[in-house]
């Protein structure tokens, strides 16, 4: 697999190389057809392809495992948020969430849980935590539609890879490192807000902080 080191995730995928009889000599096929001794020039040609394939399949398996762990660990939070939804200020209905609806439809094609939540009928507003591989962008993206609030976690964001993934995956993260990561998150939020100097922008940010803090407080209460 080239420079890619073997991991436990690699036990969950297999790959097959198909070739025509014209390449028997390059692959060094034995007379019993049970073993190969590939020539150096063939290994040199195939190795970059196999390395890229191995990384892609490893990533697919890793994402699936993380998705299952996110569902398992996030299930209780989703349940509590759903139960306490009616204690919070009602979410205003608006016609300006067309982009959210489109994004949720695309997300539902990749995640069965999202699809089932959108199809499920009922009066209760459902909360979902979904990890999704995004090319770039923020750590999370909120998507809102009638009957569902979905927090989409970007598994390519450094906060996800360095903090959320080890925490959810039970891979071990010491308390000092966890505290430092949270402190950096708070300082990053403070630094980001400092860039907004317009009076109206500051009002919106202050309103967001107040609302977020109150909702957080309500969801944490037992």
């Amino acid at each position: 697999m080239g420079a890619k080191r073997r991991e436990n995730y690699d036990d969950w995928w297999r790959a097959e190389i198909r070739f025509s009889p014209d390449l028997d000599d390059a692959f060094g096929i034995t007379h019993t057809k049970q073993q190969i001794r590939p020539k150096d020039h063939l290994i040199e040609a195939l190795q970059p392809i196999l390395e890229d394939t191995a990384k892609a399949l490893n990533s697919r398996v890793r994402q699936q495992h993380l998705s299952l762990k996110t569902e398992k660990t996030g299930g209780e939070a989703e349940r509590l948020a759903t139960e306490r939804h009616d204690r919070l200020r009602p979410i205003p209905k608006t016609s300006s969430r067309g982009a959210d609806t489109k994004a949720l439809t695309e997300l539902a094609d990749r995640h069965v849980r999202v699809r089932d939540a959108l199809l499920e009928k009922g009066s209760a507003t459902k909360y979902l935590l979904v990890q999704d591989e995004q090319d770039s962008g923020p750590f999370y993206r909120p998507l809102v539609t009638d009957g569902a609030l979905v927090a989409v976690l970007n598994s390519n964001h450094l906060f996800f890879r360095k903090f959320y993934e080890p925490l959810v995956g039970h891979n071990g993260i010491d308390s000092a490192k966890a505290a430092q990561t949270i402190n950096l998150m708070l300082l990053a939020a403070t630094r980001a807000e400092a860039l907004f100097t317009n009076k109206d922008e500051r009002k919106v940010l202050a309103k967001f902080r107040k609302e977020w803090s109150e909702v957080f407080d309500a969801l944490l209460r037992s």
Side-chain angles (χ1 to χ4, degrees):
M1 296 189 292
K4 186 200 172 302
R5 66 180 179 85
R6 184 176 178 81
E7 302 174 81
N8 290 337
Y9 290 110
D10 294 319
D11 292 335
W12 292 86
W13 62 266
R14 295 290 182 270
E16 179 180 79
I17 299 174
R18 298 185 182 184
F19 58 94
S20 67
D22 296 339
L23 292 175
D24 278 2
D25 182 61
F27 276 91
I29 300 293
T30 62
H31 70 281
T32 61
K33 304 287 186 179
Q34 298 298 311
Q35 190 176 7
I36 65 169
R37 297 186 181 90
K39 302 293 177 63
D40 289 344
H41 66 271
L42 180 70
I43 293 175
E44 185 179 343
L46 288 179
Q47 199 168 67
I49 300 171
L50 290 173
E51 182 177 341
D52 289 345
T53 302
K55 287 178 179 177
L57 293 173
N58 178 283
S59 175
R60 190 181 301 176
V61 173
R62 181 186 294 272
Q63 291 298 321
Q64 186 60 35
H65 275 257
L66 279 175
S67 180
L68 292 171
K69 287 178 179 177
T70 300
E71 288 180 27
K72 183 177 180 180
T73 58
E76 180 64 11
E78 292 173 348
R79 184 187 66 78
L80 288 172
T82 299
E83 282 183 358
R84 296 169 186 177
H85 175 77
D86 291 335
R87 304 182 195 176
L88 305 171
R89 187 180 308 170
I91 297 174
K93 294 187 179 295
T94 174
S95 58
S96 62
R97 291 203 173 105
D100 280 13
T101 302
K102 181 181 177 182
L104 278 168
T105 301
E106 294 172 354
L107 195 67
D109 290 335
R110 301 191 296 274
H111 298 276
V112 176
R113 294 180 69 237
V114 177
R115 184 191 65 199
D116 291 345
L118 295 179
L119 291 175
E120 186 180 336
K121 303 298 181 184
S123 57
T125 297
K126 294 169 286 293
Y127 286 70
L128 290 178
L129 277 165
V130 179
Q131 67 91 10
D132 192 64
E133 192 171 5
Q134 310 276 311
D135 292 334
S136 60
F139 166 60
Y140 81 98
R141 179 185 179 187
L143 296 177
V144 182
T145 188
D146 289 341
L149 287 91
V150 183
V152 184
L153 310 183
N154 181 2
S155 58
N156 274 331
H157 193 280
L158 272 178
F159 181 75
F160 186 98
R161 285 154 49 190
K162 288 195 170 186
F163 183 77
Y164 191 85
E165 179 180 348
L167 193 65
V168 171
H170 306 294
N171 295 330
I173 181 168
D174 63 78
S175 58
K177 185 175 181 180
Q180 182 188 44
T181 302
I182 292 173
N183 288 334
L184 288 173
M185 178 180 66
L186 295 170
L187 291 175
T190 300
R191 174 68 172 75
E193 282 203 32
L195 296 174
F196 296 88
T197 57
N198 181 277
K199 185 177 180 180
D200 291 337
E201 291 176 338
R202 301 293 296 174
K203 283 184 178 179
V204 171
L205 288 170
K207 185 177 181 181
F208 168 79
R209 261 186 287 107
K210 181 176 182 295
E211 187 67 28
W212 177 82
S213 298
E214 290 176 354
V215 171
F216 196 19
D217 183 84
L219 295 183
L220 285 174
R221 291 180 184 275
S222 58

